[in-house]
Amino acid sequence: MRLSKKATCNSHGQDSSYFLGWEEYEKNPYDQSTNPNGIIQMGLAENQLSFDLLESWLANNPDAASFKRDGDSIFKELALFQDYHGLPSFKNAMAKFMSEIRGNKVGFDPNNLVLTAGATSANETLVFCLANPGEAFLIPTPYYPGFDRDLKWRTGVEIVPIQCTSSNGFRITEPALEEAYNLAQKRNLKVKGVLVTNPSNPLGLTLTRHELNLLISFIDSKNIHLISDEIYSGTVFDSPDFVSVMELLKTANTDLLNRVHIVYSLSKDMGLPGFRIGSIYSNDPAVVSAATKMSSFGLVSSQTQYLLSAMLSDDKFAKNYILENRRRLKNRHEKMVSGLQTAGISCLDSNGGLFCWVDMRHLLRSNTFDSEMELWKKIVYNVGLNISPGSSCHCVEPGWFRVCFANMSEETLQLAIQRIRSFVNEISLSTTNCDGNNNNVFSRNRSKSSRRKGITKWVFRLSFHDRECER
């Protein structure tokens, strides 16, 4: 074999329907002028609602954008070598911005902050620091599909799901935590920690104080770690307000405090995924030291740090941006929810994030994941919307979908809602008029596009091969 096992092993997770939907969108992307019948991208959690605020600041602060200080160029200074601890000015600004998002209810020491090339790198780096290959993290379902790649592919770590259901709004419970821990033990997996997203991706829910206290008590009793991915913390647009896990640890002993770690990024709150700004916050000096060394494999450019340190240090701008961005997200969320309601589709009641957790169980032909995939393919190919099926998020109930609303114009969102409304009406009409052969919307057009045939097989392939490759 000319390549390594890692290079040739199909364990990246790229064949998930989450990523396959992206591929179909890229083959036929919607454009109002050049491709009005193309696929609208609703599978990408990207925040494009407040770019005008960022661009306005750049226009009013030309020195920062031109890499100048007091009118003098510092391009050479930024272009030359910088160590991987990061620019102190940026770390200070980042720590202050993180506090501002959390209502200044908790402070962050810049010395405990490790800069990484995005949250993807931050999560993987933390897993490298906390676990060995073959050990496990518990994650509540449904969870971000990318975790199967980010946490497992290179680290060799396993994920054990904490099963959450719609019966209580997908909230974390003590029995579910214990069940997941016991399942890991039955599989001879040593549990090193729990990872949660707060607010949740894909649910758009903030964790309650009860859930956070439950998690803290659980990791304390098991002597394991907690990673709180708070990448969406600045997107919380409705009550209850966001509560960071650090807010509940003010009186915690040092040992417990050192086992709780935060991941953050500017990709979602400020809509800057291309800038690759991520961070790890930990009170454990050993974790900070190891993560800092590992960050040399994914540094943030000095030019990017300089520009954003100036932007985030502008207190008036930062406060206004946080408030206005939340207002815009709330408005867009309401348009999405009300638009889907006109199509007879409801959403989980959420208060954050860039997406809705949409309930389409009533549109399934049967209560199965095969039926979910059938519906998903119809929505991608016939309706022209790329959304993410719940099965890609490891949801245990067929018929839930993550639908993003902040990565497009309002006009495009209205078109997407119009398309889904027409689709639902077609289903209702076809069901009403179907004959004994069930000749409805699900059974027609089966011959269209042979490329669809392999998708279900790809998505539902057994994971045995992946596990073998990762051993």
Side-chain angles (χ1 to χ4, degrees), residues 206-221:
T206 51
L207 293 178
T208 65
R209 288 181 179 270
H210 171 73
E211 287 174 293
L212 290 169
N213 281 318
L214 185 64
L215 288 165
I216 291 170
S217 297
F218 181 77
I219 65 133
D220 191 22
S221 66

Side-chain angles (χ1 to χ4, degrees), residues 105 171 198-199 204-211 233 235-244 326 330 349-353:
K105 297 175 182 178
R171 292 296 182 179
N198 184 25
L205 295 174
T206 51
L207 293 178
T208 65
R209 288 181 179 270
H210 171 73
E211 287 174 293
S233 53
T235 70
V236 178
F237 50 76
D238 209 344
S239 61
D241 293 336
F242 172 73
V243 179
S244 172
R326 286 172 176 165
K330 180 179 176 65
D349 189 15
S350 57
N351 63 322

Side-chain angles (χ1 to χ4, degrees), residues 41-42 44-51 232 235 268 271 325 328-329 332-333 336 353-356 403-410 413:
Q41 174 64 289
M42 305 187 83
L44 178 60
E46 198 170 62
N47 183 8
Q48 298 185 21
L49 301 186
S50 299
F51 268 125
Y232 290 98
T235 70
K268 309 302 181 181
N325 186 55
R328 295 182 185 187
L329 286 170
R332 180 58 67 85
H333 175 265
M336 166 73 98
L354 309 175
F355 32 72
C356 291
V403 183
C404 300
F405 57 74
N407 65 330
M408 66 193 73
S409 68
E410 188 170 326
L413 177 65

Side-chain angles (χ1 to χ4, degrees), residues 262-408:
I262 285 181
V263 166
Y264 184 62
S265 166
L266 298 181
S267 295
K268 309 302 181 181
D269 293 350
M270 299 197 74
L272 298 173
F275 276 43
R276 309 312 303 150
I277 300 290
S279 63
I280 295 167
Y281 189 85
S282 177
N283 287 294
D284 187 339
V287 171
V288 172
S289 176
T292 301
K293 295 170 185 173
M294 291 183 185
S295 72
S296 64
F297 297 100
L299 297 174
V300 181
S301 76
S302 298
Q303 293 87 344
T304 300
Q305 291 186 55
Y306 175 74
L307 171 62
L308 293 181
S309 67
M311 181 181 287
L312 298 183
S313 296
D314 186 333
D315 292 343
K316 182 178 180 180
F317 166 79
K319 291 178 181 179
N320 177 69
Y321 178 90
I322 292 170
L323 292 174
E324 179 61 15
N325 186 55
R326 286 172 176 165
R327 186 192 69 78
R328 295 182 185 187
L329 286 170
K330 180 179 176 65
N331 178 265
R332 180 58 67 85
H333 175 265
E334 289 174 350
K335 290 182 184 302
M336 166 73 98
V337 172
S338 62
L340 289 175
Q341 284 177 342
T342 64
I345 297 173
S346 62
C347 304
L348 187 71
D349 189 15
S350 57
N351 63 322
L354 309 175
F355 32 72
C356 291
W357 189 237
V358 179
D359 186 359
M360 297 191 192
R361 288 176 292 179
H362 61 296
L363 300 180
L364 298 182
R365 187 165 61 175
S366 62
N367 186 33
T368 65
F369 286 109
D370 283 341
S371 183
E372 177 183 279
M373 293 306 300
E374 189 176 10
L375 176 60
W376 173 71
K377 286 188 284 183
K378 291 287 185 183
I379 292 173
V380 172
Y381 293 109
N382 293 3
V383 184
L385 305 177
N386 175 37
I387 63 178
S388 303
S391 55
S392 71
C393 303
H394 300 271
C395 183
V396 296
E397 301 174 16
W400 291 90
F401 293 81
R402 191 192 75 166
V403 183
C404 300
F405 57 74
N407 65 330
M408 66 193 73

